[in-house]
Amino acid sequence: MQETITVDLVEVSSFKALAVRTGMTPDKSGTRVAWSKLAEHVPLDDARLAGKPAAYVFIPQQQWNKEVDTLWIGLEVREFGAVPDGIEKLAINGGICASARVLGDEAHMWRVYETMFSWLEQSKDYELDQRDGIFGMETVPLEPLNALTIPYKDIEIFNFTMLYPVRRKADRE
């Protein structure tokens, strides 16, 4: 059976998030530690939370030109309210995003990344928006299983959606 990986353009609304910054670690444990800290200070029954139960991995898009070394793990909120130490407020710009779905093993995940970046390189109309302050996002559902509570090496099925802001090549500054 041949797998079909598609990249779509979707409109994402602006939103606010409370997030914990982390670095990339060889064992990918940084995201799990950040999630633990975030969930401790912003529980899933927090009245500020908006949208469906999902976590976001935020990636500063200018990092795609080099090695990605800083991420944020966050939750969408209606308002920031009181923000505990170690939790950051992020304002996420809305706009058009290139989107691809990951639902499969680790090899499948890497094929989706390859497809996404190949699509971005070959697009005649769009390019990754790598201006300062622009975050790519990967949405991680928290139900029925929260992958951020499982060690990376133990994940059998990766389940998330890539949302990387793009801009028209004709609109370059």
Side-chain angles (χ1 to χ4, degrees):
M1 182 171 91
Q2 177 152 356
E3 119 187 297
T4 302
I5 300 170
T6 59
V7 175
D8 297 307
L9 292 173
V10 298
E11 180 80 24
V12 173
S13 297
S14 298
F15 67 96
K16 297 173 184 172
L18 292 174
V20 173
R21 185 186 311 229
T22 186
M24 291 294 287
T25 56
D27 66 356
K28 315 281 194 291
S29 64
T31 53
R32 275 93 189 133
V33 170
W35 169 255
S36 256
K37 182 174 184 177
L38 179 64
E40 177 185 331
H41 293 292
V42 186
L44 295 180
D45 62 356
D46 191 300
R48 296 173 290 182
L49 295 180
K52 59 185 176 205
Y56 288 84
V57 178
F58 297 107
I59 306 125
Q61 290 207 153
Q62 71 270 20
Q63 288 188 24
W64 289 121
N65 280 337
K66 51 185 172 85
E67 186 175 340
V68 173
D69 61 9
T70 304
L71 305 170
W72 282 259
I73 305 303
L75 292 165
E76 181 179 353
V77 294
R78 288 180 191 85
E79 60 186 38
F80 293 124
V83 180
D85 287 343
I87 307 294
E88 297 181 49
K89 299 185 278 187
L90 298 179
I92 306 302
N93 298 326
I96 302 293
C97 291
S99 177
R101 181 88 173 96
V102 174
L103 185 59
D105 63 13
E106 187 174 21
H108 167 76
M109 176 185 69
W110 291 114
R111 286 191 298 276
V112 176
Y113 277 115
E114 183 179 301
T115 300
M116 170 65 80
F117 285 99
S118 177
W119 183 90
L120 287 163
E121 287 175 14
Q122 295 172 17
S123 174
K124 292 180 176 82
D125 298 320
Y126 292 94
E127 65 186 1
L128 194 63
D129 188 344
Q130 295 184 298
R131 293 175 292 168
D132 284 346
I134 303 294
F135 288 96
M137 299 163 278
E138 295 175 355
T139 64
V140 180
L142 300 176
E143 297 172 353
L145 178 68
N146 178 353
L148 294 169
T149 63
I150 301 169
Y152 182 90
K153 66 178 180 52
D154 294 340
I155 296 175
E156 294 178 14
I157 300 294
F158 290 83
N159 178 14
F160 63 94
T161 301
M162 298 174 183
L163 294 166
Y164 300 148
V166 294
R167 63 182 180 170
R168 290 192 175 277
K169 289 180 176 178
D171 296 340
R172 285 186 196 152
E173 294 176 329

